[in-house]
Amino acid sequence: MDDRDILKRISDLVDEEHRLRSAAQVHESGTEDDRDRLRELEESLDQCWDLLRRRRAARQTHGDPEAQGVRPTSEVERYLQ
């Protein structure tokens, strides 16, 4: 997976997130399935952004961006924002 693939994945996830949030606003609140899916989307987005940042950092420090892999959700979600 290269940076373009990751950015495409981020774009797709954001598009889906916007659709779900828009639908939830129309119906005053989303279904439990929608809320679960939004949580999954947020976690996936965090993982993608984390991977992209680490790939870019590896490239800047002359490391191998391909050596970077997706970190588990449990690890990425513990980061302080």
Side-chain angles (χ1 to χ4, degrees):
M1 181 180 288
D2 65 14
D3 290 2
R4 286 181 307 222
D5 294 332
I6 298 167
L7 288 168
K8 172 72 169 110
R9 176 78 174 134
I10 288 170
S11 178
D12 292 344
L13 291 169
V14 167
D15 289 345
E16 184 178 355
E17 180 185 29
H18 287 171
R19 282 192 301 275
L20 282 173
R21 290 192 189 281
S22 293
Q25 286 178 349
V26 169
H27 297 103
E28 297 297 322
S29 67
T31 66
E32 187 172 336
D33 288 341
D34 289 345
R35 287 189 293 275
D36 289 344
R37 180 62 185 147
L38 278 170
R39 187 179 64 256
E40 291 171 6
L41 289 169
E42 290 166 356
E43 291 170 352
S44 294
L45 280 165
D46 289 346
Q47 285 178 302
C48 288
W49 281 116
D50 173 69
L51 177 58
L52 188 62
R53 281 188 211 98
R54 288 184 301 108
R55 287 176 57 85
R56 288 175 174 172
R59 201 173 288 113
Q60 287 179 342
T61 59
H62 307 289
D64 181 9
E66 297 302 319
Q68 305 303 314
V70 177
R71 291 184 184 174
T73 302
S74 60
E75 186 175 342
V76 174
E77 290 302 307
R78 286 194 316 253
Y79 294 152
L80 296 177
Q81 304 267 328

Coordinates of all heavy atoms in Angstrom, one line a residue:
M1 N 0.9 -1.2 0.0 CA 0.0 0.0 0.0 C 0.9 1.2 0.0 O 1.8 1.3 0.8 CB -0.9 0.0 1.2 CG -1.8 1.1 1.3 SD -2.9 1.1 2.8 CE -4.0 -0.2 2.4
D2 N 0.7 2.2 -0.9 CA 1.4 3.4 -0.9 C 0.6 4.5 -0.4 O -0.6 4.4 -0.1 CB 2.0 3.7 -2.3 CG 1.0 4.0 -3.4 OD1 -0.2 4.2 -3.0 OD2 1.3 4.0 -4.6
D3 N 1.2 5.7 -0.3 CA 0.5 6.9 0.3 C -0.7 7.2 -0.5 O -1.7 7.6 0.1 CB 1.5 8.1 0.3 CG 2.6 7.9 1.3 OD1 2.7 6.8 2.0 OD2 3.4 8.8 1.4
R4 N -0.7 7.1 -1.8 CA -1.9 7.4 -2.6 C -3.1 6.5 -2.2 O -4.2 6.9 -2.1 CB -1.7 7.3 -4.1 CG -0.8 8.4 -4.6 CD -0.6 8.3 -6.1 NE -0.1 6.9 -6.3 CZ 0.9 6.6 -7.1 NH1 1.4 7.5 -7.9 NH2 1.3 5.4 -7.3
D5 N -2.8 5.2 -2.0 CA -3.8 4.2 -1.6 C -4.4 4.6 -0.2 O -5.6 4.5 0.0 CB -3.2 2.8 -1.5 CG -2.8 2.3 -2.9 OD1 -3.4 2.7 -3.9 OD2 -1.9 1.4 -2.9
I6 N -3.5 5.0 0.7 CA -3.9 5.4 2.0 C -4.8 6.6 2.0 O -5.9 6.7 2.6 CB -2.7 5.6 3.0 CG1 -1.9 4.3 3.1 CG2 -3.2 6.1 4.3 CD1 -0.5 4.5 3.7
L7 N -4.4 7.6 1.2 CA -5.2 8.8 1.0 C -6.5 8.5 0.4 O -7.6 9.1 0.8 CB -4.4 9.9 0.2 CG -3.3 10.5 1.0 CD1 -2.4 11.3 0.0 CD2 -3.8 11.4 2.1
K8 N -6.6 7.6 -0.6 CA -7.8 7.2 -1.2 C -8.7 6.6 -0.2 O -9.9 6.8 -0.1 CB -7.6 6.3 -2.4 CG -8.8 5.6 -3.0 CD -9.6 6.6 -3.8 CE -10.7 5.9 -4.6 NZ -12.0 6.2 -4.1
R9 N -8.2 5.7 0.7 CA -8.9 5.0 1.7 C -9.5 6.1 2.7 O -10.6 6.0 3.1 CB -8.0 4.0 2.4 CG -8.7 3.3 3.6 CD -9.6 2.3 3.2 NE -10.1 1.5 4.3 CZ -11.3 1.2 4.5 NH1 -12.2 1.5 3.6 NH2 -11.7 0.6 5.6
I10 N -8.7 7.0 3.1 CA -9.1 8.1 4.0 C -10.3 8.9 3.3 O -11.3 9.1 4.0 CB -8.0 9.1 4.3 CG1 -7.0 8.4 5.2 CG2 -8.5 10.4 4.9 CD1 -5.7 9.1 5.5
S11 N -10.2 9.2 2.1 CA -11.2 9.9 1.4 C -12.5 9.1 1.4 O -13.6 9.6 1.6 CB -10.8 10.2 -0.1 OG -11.8 10.9 -0.8
D12 N -12.4 7.8 1.1 CA -13.6 7.0 1.1 C -14.2 6.9 2.4 O -15.5 6.9 2.6 CB -13.2 5.5 0.6 CG -12.8 5.5 -0.9 OD1 -13.1 6.5 -1.6 OD2 -12.2 4.5 -1.3
L13 N -13.4 6.8 3.5 CA -14.0 6.7 4.8 C -14.6 8.0 5.2 O -15.7 8.0 5.9 CB -12.8 6.3 5.8 CG -12.3 4.9 5.7 CD1 -11.0 4.8 6.6 CD2 -13.3 3.9 6.2
V14 N -14.0 9.1 4.9 CA -14.6 10.4 5.2 C -15.9 10.6 4.5 O -16.9 11.1 5.1 CB -13.6 11.6 4.9 CG1 -14.3 12.9 4.9 CG2 -12.4 11.5 5.8
D15 N -16.0 10.2 3.2 CA -17.2 10.3 2.5 C -18.4 9.5 3.1 O -19.5 10.0 3.3 CB -17.1 9.8 1.0 CG -16.2 10.8 0.2 OD1 -16.0 11.9 0.6 OD2 -15.8 10.3 -0.9
E16 N -18.0 8.3 3.5 CA -19.0 7.4 4.2 C -19.4 8.1 5.6 O -20.6 8.1 5.9 CB -18.5 6.0 4.4 CG -19.6 5.1 5.1 CD -19.1 3.7 5.3 OE1 -18.0 3.3 4.8 OE2 -19.9 2.9 5.8
E17 N -18.5 8.6 6.3 CA -18.8 9.3 7.6 C -19.7 10.4 7.4 O -20.7 10.6 8.1 CB -17.5 9.7 8.2 CG -17.7 10.4 9.5 CD -16.4 11.0 10.1 OE1 -15.5 11.3 9.3 OE2 -16.3 11.1 11.3
H18 N -19.5 11.2 6.3 CA -20.3 12.4 6.0 C -21.7 11.9 5.7 O -22.7 12.6 6.1 CB -19.7 13.2 4.9 CG -18.6 14.0 5.3 ND1 -17.8 14.7 4.5 CD2 -18.0 14.2 6.6 CE1 -16.8 15.3 5.1 NE2 -16.9 15.0 6.4
R19 N -21.8 10.9 4.9 CA -23.2 10.4 4.5 C -23.9 9.9 5.8 O -25.1 10.2 5.9 CB -23.1 9.2 3.5 CG -22.8 9.7 2.1 CD -23.0 8.5 1.1 NE -22.1 7.4 1.4 CZ -20.9 7.2 1.0 NH1 -20.3 8.2 0.3 NH2 -20.2 6.2 1.3
L20 N -23.3 9.2 6.7 CA -23.9 8.7 7.9 C -24.3 9.9 8.8 O -25.4 9.9 9.4 CB -23.0 7.7 8.6 CG -23.0 6.3 8.1 CD1 -21.9 5.5 8.8 CD2 -24.3 5.6 8.2
R21 N -23.4 10.8 8.9 CA -23.8 12.0 9.8 C -24.9 12.8 9.2 O -25.8 13.3 10.0 CB -22.5 12.8 10.0 CG -21.5 12.2 10.9 CD -20.4 13.1 11.4 NE -19.3 12.4 12.0 CZ -19.3 12.0 13.3 NH1 -20.4 12.1 14.0 NH2 -18.3 11.3 13.8
S22 N -24.9 13.0 7.9 CA -26.0 13.7 7.3 C -27.3 13.0 7.5 O -28.4 13.6 7.8 CB -25.8 13.9 5.8 OG -24.7 14.8 5.6
A23 N -27.3 11.7 7.3 CA -28.6 10.9 7.5 C -29.0 11.0 8.9 O -30.2 11.1 9.2 CB -28.3 9.5 7.0
A24 N -28.1 11.0 9.9 CA -28.4 11.0 11.3 C -29.1 12.4 11.6 O -30.0 12.4 12.4 CB -27.2 10.8 12.1
Q25 N -28.6 13.5 11.0 CA -29.2 14.8 11.3 C -30.6 14.9 10.7 O -31.5 15.5 11.4 CB -28.3 15.9 10.6 CG -27.0 16.1 11.4 CD -26.2 17.2 10.7 OE1 -26.4 17.6 9.6 NE2 -25.1 17.6 11.4
V26 N -30.9 14.3 9.6 CA -32.2 14.3 9.0 C -33.2 13.5 9.9 O -34.3 14.0 10.1 CB -32.2 13.7 7.6 CG1 -33.6 13.4 7.1 CG2 -31.4 14.6 6.6
H27 N -32.7 12.4 10.5 CA -33.6 11.6 11.3 C -33.4 11.9 12.8 O -33.9 11.1 13.6 CB -33.3 10.1 11.0 CG -33.6 9.8 9.6 ND1 -32.6 9.6 8.7 CD2 -34.8 9.5 9.0 CE1 -33.2 9.3 7.5 NE2 -34.5 9.2 7.7
E28 N -32.8 13.0 13.1 CA -32.6 13.5 14.5 C -31.6 12.6 15.2 O -30.9 13.1 16.1 CB -33.9 13.5 15.3 CG -35.0 14.4 14.8 CD -34.5 15.9 14.9 OE1 -33.9 16.2 15.9 OE2 -34.8 16.6 14.0
S29 N -31.4 11.4 15.0 CA -30.4 10.6 15.5 C -30.3 9.3 14.7 O -31.2 8.9 14.1 CB -30.6 10.2 17.0 OG -31.7 9.3 17.1
G30 N -29.1 8.8 14.6 CA -28.9 7.6 13.8 C -29.3 6.4 14.6 O -29.5 6.4 15.8
T31 N -29.4 5.3 13.8 CA -29.7 4.0 14.5 C -28.4 3.5 15.2 O -27.3 4.1 15.1 CB -30.0 2.9 13.4 OG1 -28.9 2.7 12.6 CG2 -31.2 3.4 12.6
E32 N -28.6 2.5 16.0 CA -27.5 2.0 16.8 C -26.4 1.4 15.8 O -25.2 1.6 16.0 CB -27.9 0.9 17.7 CG -26.8 0.4 18.6 CD -27.3 -0.6 19.7 OE1 -28.5 -0.6 20.0 OE2 -26.5 -1.4 20.2
D33 N -26.9 0.8 14.7 CA -26.0 0.3 13.7 C -25.2 1.5 13.1 O -24.0 1.3 12.8 CB -26.7 -0.4 12.6 CG -27.3 -1.8 13.0 OD1 -26.8 -2.3 14.0 OD2 -28.2 -2.3 12.4
D34 N -25.8 2.6 12.8 CA -25.2 3.8 12.3 C -24.1 4.3 13.3 O -23.0 4.6 12.9 CB -26.1 4.9 12.0 CG -27.0 4.6 10.8 OD1 -26.7 3.6 10.0 OD2 -28.0 5.3 10.6
R35 N -24.5 4.3 14.5 CA -23.5 4.8 15.5 C -22.3 3.8 15.6 O -21.2 4.3 15.8 CB -24.2 5.0 16.9 CG -25.1 6.2 16.9 CD -25.6 6.5 18.3 NE -26.5 5.4 18.8 CZ -27.8 5.3 18.6 NH1 -28.4 6.2 17.9 NH2 -28.5 4.3 19.1
D36 N -22.6 2.6 15.6 CA -21.5 1.6 15.6 C -20.6 1.8 14.4 O -19.4 1.7 14.5 CB -22.0 0.1 15.6 CG -22.7 -0.2 16.9 OD1 -22.5 0.5 18.0 OD2 -23.4 -1.2 17.0
R37 N -21.2 2.0 13.2 CA -20.4 2.1 12.0 C -19.6 3.4 12.1 O -18.4 3.4 11.6 CB -21.3 2.1 10.8 CG -20.6 2.3 9.5 CD -19.6 1.2 9.2 NE -18.9 1.4 8.0 CZ -17.6 1.1 7.8 NH1 -17.0 0.4 8.7 NH2 -17.0 1.4 6.7
L38 N -20.2 4.5 12.6 CA -19.4 5.7 12.8 C -18.2 5.5 13.7 O -17.1 6.0 13.4 CB -20.3 6.8 13.3 CG -21.2 7.6 12.3 CD1 -22.2 8.5 13.1 CD2 -20.4 8.4 11.4
R39 N -18.4 4.8 14.7 CA -17.2 4.5 15.6 C -16.2 3.7 14.9 O -15.0 4.0 14.9 CB -17.7 3.7 16.9 CG -16.6 3.6 17.9 CD -17.0 2.8 19.1 NE -17.4 1.5 18.9 CZ -18.7 1.0 18.8 NH1 -19.7 1.8 19.0 NH2 -18.9 -0.3 18.5
E40 N -16.6 2.7 14.1 CA -15.6 2.0 13.3 C -14.9 2.9 12.3 O -13.7 2.7 12.0 CB -16.4 0.8 12.5 CG -16.9 -0.3 13.4 CD -17.8 -1.2 12.6 OE1 -17.9 -1.1 11.4 OE2 -18.4 -2.1 13.3
L41 N -15.7 3.8 11.6 CA -15.1 4.7 10.7 C -14.0 5.6 11.3 O -12.9 5.8 10.8 CB -16.1 5.5 10.0 CG -17.0 4.8 9.0 CD1 -18.2 5.8 8.6 CD2 -16.3 4.4 7.8
E42 N -14.4 6.1 12.5 CA -13.4 7.0 13.2 C -12.1 6.2 13.6 O -11.0 6.7 13.4 CB -14.1 7.5 14.5 CG -15.2 8.5 14.2 CD -16.1 8.9 15.3 OE1 -15.9 8.2 16.4 OE2 -16.9 9.7 15.2
E43 N -12.3 5.0 14.0 CA -11.1 4.2 14.4 C -10.3 3.9 13.1 O -9.1 3.9 13.2 CB -11.6 2.9 15.0 CG -12.2 3.1 16.4 CD -12.8 1.9 17.0 OE1 -13.0 0.8 16.3 OE2 -13.2 1.9 18.2
S44 N -10.9 3.5 12.0 CA -10.2 3.3 10.8 C -9.5 4.5 10.3 O -8.3 4.4 9.8 CB -11.2 2.7 9.7 OG -11.7 1.5 10.1
L45 N -10.1 5.6 10.4 CA -9.5 6.9 10.0 C -8.3 7.2 10.9 O -7.2 7.6 10.3 CB -10.5 8.1 10.1 CG -11.4 8.2 8.9 CD1 -12.6 9.1 9.3 CD2 -10.7 8.7 7.7
D46 N -8.4 7.0 12.2 CA -7.2 7.1 13.0 C -6.1 6.2 12.6 O -4.9 6.7 12.6 CB -7.6 6.9 14.5 CG -8.5 8.0 15.1 OD1 -8.6 9.0 14.5 OD2 -9.1 7.7 16.2
Q47 N -6.4 5.0 12.3 CA -5.3 4.1 11.9 C -4.7 4.5 10.6 O -3.5 4.4 10.4 CB -5.9 2.7 11.7 CG -6.2 1.9 13.0 CD -6.8 0.6 12.7 OE1 -7.9 0.5 12.1 NE2 -6.2 -0.5 13.2
C48 N -5.5 5.0 9.6 CA -5.0 5.4 8.3 C -4.1 6.6 8.5 O -3.0 6.7 7.9 CB -6.1 5.7 7.4 SG -7.0 4.3 6.7
W49 N -4.5 7.6 9.3 CA -3.7 8.8 9.5 C -2.4 8.5 10.2 O -1.4 9.0 9.9 CB -4.5 9.9 10.3 CG -5.5 10.6 9.4 CD1 -6.8 10.6 9.5 CD2 -5.2 11.5 8.3 NE1 -7.4 11.5 8.6 CE2 -6.4 12.0 7.8 CE3 -4.0 11.9 7.7 CZ2 -6.4 12.9 6.7 CZ3 -4.0 12.8 6.6 CH2 -5.3 13.2 6.2
D50 N -2.5 7.6 11.2 CA -1.3 7.1 11.9 C -0.3 6.5 11.0 O 0.9 6.8 11.0 CB -1.7 6.2 13.0 CG -0.5 5.5 13.7 OD1 0.2 6.3 14.4 OD2 -0.3 4.3 13.5
L51 N -0.8 5.6 10.1 CA 0.1 5.0 9.1 C 0.7 6.0 8.2 O 1.9 5.9 7.9 CB -0.7 3.9 8.4 CG 0.1 3.2 7.3 CD1 1.3 2.4 7.8 CD2 -0.9 2.2 6.6
L52 N -0.1 6.9 7.7 CA 0.4 7.9 6.7 C 1.5 8.7 7.4 O 2.6 9.0 6.8 CB -0.7 8.7 6.2 CG -0.4 9.7 5.1 CD1 0.1 9.0 3.9 CD2 -1.6 10.6 4.8
R53 N 1.3 9.2 8.6 CA 2.2 10.0 9.4 C 3.5 9.2 9.6 O 4.6 9.8 9.4 CB 1.7 10.4 10.7 CG 0.7 11.6 10.7 CD 0.4 12.1 12.1 NE -0.9 12.6 12.1 CZ -2.0 11.9 12.5 NH1 -1.9 10.7 12.9 NH2 -3.2 12.5 12.4
R54 N 3.4 8.0 10.0 CA 4.6 7.2 10.2 C 5.4 6.9 8.9 O 6.6 6.9 8.9 CB 4.3 5.9 10.9 CG 3.9 6.1 12.4 CD 3.6 4.9 13.2 NE 2.6 4.1 12.7 CZ 2.8 2.9 12.1 NH1 4.0 2.4 11.9 NH2 1.7 2.2 11.6
R55 N 4.7 6.7 7.8 CA 5.3 6.5 6.5 C 6.1 7.7 6.1 O 7.2 7.7 5.6 CB 4.3 6.1 5.4 CG 3.8 4.7 5.6 CD 2.7 4.4 4.5 NE 3.2 4.6 3.2 CZ 3.9 3.7 2.5 NH1 4.1 2.5 2.9 NH2 4.3 4.0 1.2
R56 N 5.5 8.9 6.3 CA 6.1 10.2 5.9 C 7.3 10.4 6.8 O 8.4 10.9 6.4 CB 5.1 11.3 6.0 CG 4.1 11.3 4.9 CD 3.0 12.3 5.1 NE 2.1 12.3 3.9 CZ 1.0 13.1 3.8 NH1 0.7 13.8 4.9 NH2 0.3 13.0 2.8
A57 N 7.2 10.1 8.1 CA 8.3 10.3 9.0 C 9.5 9.4 8.7 O 10.6 9.8 8.7 CB 7.9 10.0 10.5
A58 N 9.2 8.1 8.3 CA 10.2 7.2 7.9 C 10.9 7.7 6.7 O 12.2 7.7 6.6 CB 9.6 5.8 7.6
R59 N 10.2 8.2 5.7 CA 10.8 8.8 4.5 C 11.7 10.0 4.8 O 12.8 10.1 4.3 CB 9.7 9.2 3.5 CG 10.1 9.3 2.1 CD 8.9 9.5 1.2 NE 8.0 8.4 1.1 CZ 6.8 8.3 1.5 NH1 6.2 9.3 2.1 NH2 6.1 7.2 1.4
Q60 N 11.3 10.8 5.7 CA 12.1 12.0 6.1 C 13.3 11.7 6.8 O 14.3 12.4 6.7 CB 11.2 13.0 6.9 CG 10.2 13.7 6.1 CD 9.4 14.6 7.0 OE1 9.3 14.5 8.2 NE2 8.7 15.6 6.3
T61 N 13.3 10.5 7.5 CA 14.5 10.1 8.3 C 15.3 9.0 7.5 O 16.1 8.3 8.1 CB 14.1 9.6 9.7 OG1 13.2 8.5 9.5 CG2 13.5 10.7 10.5
H62 N 15.0 8.9 6.2 CA 15.7 8.0 5.3 C 15.4 6.5 5.7 O 16.2 5.6 5.5 CB 17.2 8.3 5.2 CG 17.5 9.7 4.9 ND1 17.2 10.2 3.6 CD2 17.9 10.7 5.6 CE1 17.6 11.5 3.6 NE2 18.0 11.8 4.8
G63 N 14.3 6.3 6.3 CA 13.9 5.0 6.7 C 13.0 4.4 5.6 O 12.9 5.0 4.5
D64 N 12.5 3.2 5.8 CA 11.7 2.5 4.8 C 10.2 2.6 5.1 O 9.7 2.0 6.1 CB 12.1 1.0 4.8 CG 11.3 0.2 3.8 OD1 10.6 0.8 2.9 OD2 11.4 -1.0 3.8
P65 N 9.5 3.4 4.3 CA 8.1 3.6 4.6 C 7.3 2.3 4.5 O 6.3 2.1 5.1 CB 7.6 4.7 3.6 CG 8.7 4.8 2.6 CD 10.0 4.2 3.2
E66 N 7.8 1.4 3.6 CA 7.2 0.1 3.4 C 7.2 -0.8 4.6 O 6.5 -1.7 4.8 CB 7.7 -0.6 2.2 CG 7.6 0.1 0.9 CD 6.1 0.4 0.5 OE1 5.3 -0.4 0.8 OE2 5.8 1.6 0.1
A67 N 8.2 -0.5 5.5 CA 8.3 -1.3 6.8 C 7.2 -0.9 7.8 O 7.1 -1.6 8.8 CB 9.7 -1.1 7.4
Q68 N 6.5 0.1 7.5 CA 5.4 0.6 8.4 C 4.2 -0.2 8.2 O 3.8 -0.4 7.0 CB 5.2 2.1 8.3 CG 6.4 3.0 8.5 CD 7.1 2.8 9.8 OE1 6.4 2.7 10.8 NE2 8.4 2.6 9.8
G69 N 3.5 -0.6 9.2 CA 2.3 -1.4 9.1 C 1.2 -0.7 9.9 O 1.5 0.2 10.7
V70 N 0.0 -1.2 9.7 CA -1.2 -0.6 10.4 C -1.1 -1.1 11.9 O -0.9 -2.3 12.1 CB -2.5 -1.1 9.8 CG1 -3.7 -0.6 10.6 CG2 -2.6 -0.6 8.3
R71 N -1.2 -0.1 12.8 CA -1.2 -0.5 14.2 C -2.6 -0.9 14.6 O -3.5 -0.4 14.1 CB -0.7 0.7 15.0 CG 0.8 1.0 14.8 CD 1.2 2.2 15.7 NE 2.6 2.5 15.4 CZ 3.2 3.5 16.0 NH1 2.6 4.3 16.8 NH2 4.4 3.8 15.7
P72 N -2.7 -1.7 15.6 CA -4.0 -2.1 16.1 C -4.8 -0.9 16.6 O -4.2 0.1 17.2 CB -3.7 -3.1 17.3 CG -2.2 -3.4 17.2 CD -1.6 -2.3 16.4
T73 N -6.1 -1.0 16.5 CA -7.0 0.1 17.0 C -6.7 0.4 18.4 O -6.6 1.6 18.8 CB -8.4 -0.3 16.8 OG1 -8.6 -0.6 15.4 CG2 -9.4 0.8 17.2
S74 N -6.5 -0.6 19.2 CA -6.3 -0.4 20.7 C -5.1 0.5 20.9 O -5.1 1.3 21.9 CB -6.2 -1.7 21.4 OG -5.1 -2.5 20.9
E75 N -4.1 0.3 20.1 CA -2.9 1.1 20.3 C -3.1 2.6 19.8 O -2.7 3.5 20.5 CB -1.7 0.5 19.5 CG -0.4 1.2 19.7 CD 0.8 0.4 19.1 OE1 0.6 -0.8 18.7 OE2 1.8 1.1 18.9
V76 N -3.7 2.7 18.6 CA -3.9 4.0 18.0 C -4.8 4.9 18.8 O -4.7 6.1 19.0 CB -4.3 3.9 16.6 CG1 -4.7 5.2 16.0 CG2 -3.3 3.2 15.7
E77 N -5.9 4.2 19.4 CA -6.9 5.0 20.1 C -6.4 5.5 21.5 O -7.0 6.3 22.1 CB -8.1 4.1 20.3 CG -8.9 3.9 19.0 CD -9.3 5.1 18.3 OE1 -10.0 6.0 19.0 OE2 -9.0 5.3 17.1
R78 N -5.3 5.0 22.0 CA -4.7 5.4 23.2 C -3.9 6.7 23.1 O -3.5 7.3 24.1 CB -3.9 4.3 23.9 CG -4.7 3.2 24.4 CD -3.8 2.3 25.3 NE -2.5 2.0 24.8 CZ -2.1 0.9 24.3 NH1 -3.0 -0.1 24.3 NH2 -0.9 0.7 23.9
Y79 N -3.6 7.1 21.9 CA -2.8 8.3 21.7 C -3.5 9.5 22.2 O -4.7 9.7 22.1 CB -2.5 8.6 20.2 CG -1.6 7.5 19.6 CD1 -1.7 7.3 18.2 CD2 -0.7 6.8 20.3 CE1 -1.0 6.3 17.6 CE2 0.1 5.8 19.6 CZ -0.1 5.6 18.3 OH 0.7 4.7 17.7
L80 N -2.8 10.5 22.8 CA -3.3 11.7 23.2 C -3.5 12.6 22.0 O -2.6 12.7 21.2 CB -2.4 12.4 24.3 CG -2.3 11.6 25.6 CD1 -1.3 12.3 26.6 CD2 -3.7 11.5 26.3
Q81 N -4.5 13.3 21.9 CA -4.8 14.2 20.8 C -4.4 15.6 21.1 O -4.5 16.1 22.2 CB -6.2 14.1 20.4 CG -6.7 12.8 20.1 CD -6.6 12.4 18.6 OE1 -6.7 13.2 17.8 NE2 -6.3 11.2 18.4

